[in-house]
Amino acid sequence: MNTPAHLIFGAGAFARPGARRVTAAALLGALLPDLSLYILGSWALYVQQIPPQTVFNELYFSPSWQRIFAIDNSIPLWGAICVLGLVLRRPAVTALGGAALLHVLLDLPLHHDDGRPHFWPLSDWVFESPISYWDSAQFAWIVAPLEGAACLALVVLLWRRFDSWPLRGLFAVLLLAELWVIRQWLVFF
């Protein structure tokens, strides 16, 4: 899934009105599994000035990048953090771990040939799904509109749940970003 969709889904599942720390933790947890890609990609593209084809066709699949992705996309790791939050009765920790866990569980069935080792440290196995959220040759033309519709429905729900205009604005911006990214994937891939 696209990162804006993960933030919307994470907020929909774990954000709580009147609980700023929990809501912030939900948004952060939804972002963390993708954050390393943004940092590594930005460094390679803008600082090292490596061409995008090299970054996304070679570096993305390199052992060093995949080791990092294995950690921040680990179902056992995020599951343990979520359970720890539940056991310690720390809603913000639960929201952080839960939103990150939701992120990787939603990514698992939507990556065809660009998946990550979601079961680190137990296994380096990578599931190769028959469908993709971005590759039209792997049914993105079906997945992407469904993802967009689900995000629209969740943003309507979040607008009803939260009366904070800054949060409503954030959810609206995330929805617009999601729709723009979907358009890019479908037009170019």
Side-chain angles (χ1 to χ4, degrees), residues 56 64 92 134:
F56 296 108
S64 59
W134 67 269

Side-chain angles (χ1 to χ4, degrees), residues 44-94:
L45 290 167
Y46 302 114
V47 176
Q48 296 178 301
Q49 297 188 337
I50 298 172
Q53 303 89 313
T54 303
V55 172
F56 296 108
N57 293 332
E58 295 174 29
L59 292 176
Y60 179 93
F61 296 100
S62 70
S64 59
W65 282 34
Q66 287 298 312
R67 277 192 293 277
I68 294 168
F69 298 156
I71 297 166
D72 62 15
N73 282 264
S74 171
I75 291 170
L77 174 65
W78 293 119
I81 291 170
C82 185
V83 168
L84 182 66
L86 289 168
V87 168
L88 297 177
R89 296 182 184 179
R90 301 278 200 207
V93 174
T94 303

Side-chain angles (χ1 to χ4, degrees), residues 100-177:
L101 181 61
L102 180 62
H103 178 134
V104 296
L105 289 172
L106 289 169
D107 266 357
L108 181 67
L110 297 176
H111 282 266
H112 171 62
D113 59 359
D114 59 343
R116 296 177 176 178
H118 289 298
F119 298 99
W120 179 90
L122 306 175
S123 170
D124 288 332
W125 176 72
V126 176
F127 175 64
E128 189 170 305
S129 176
I131 60 174
S132 170
Y133 73 98
W134 67 269
D135 185 353
S136 291
Q138 299 306 135
F139 307 103
W141 52 275
I142 296 172
V143 174
L146 292 173
E147 181 179 316
C151 286
L152 176 61
L154 282 170
V155 167
V156 168
L157 174 75
L158 288 163
W159 264 62
R160 294 181 62 152
R161 190 185 303 164
F162 288 88
D163 57 6
S164 161
W165 281 104
L167 274 177
R168 284 179 166 183
L170 174 64
F171 299 140
V173 166
L174 289 172
L175 178 62
L176 291 174

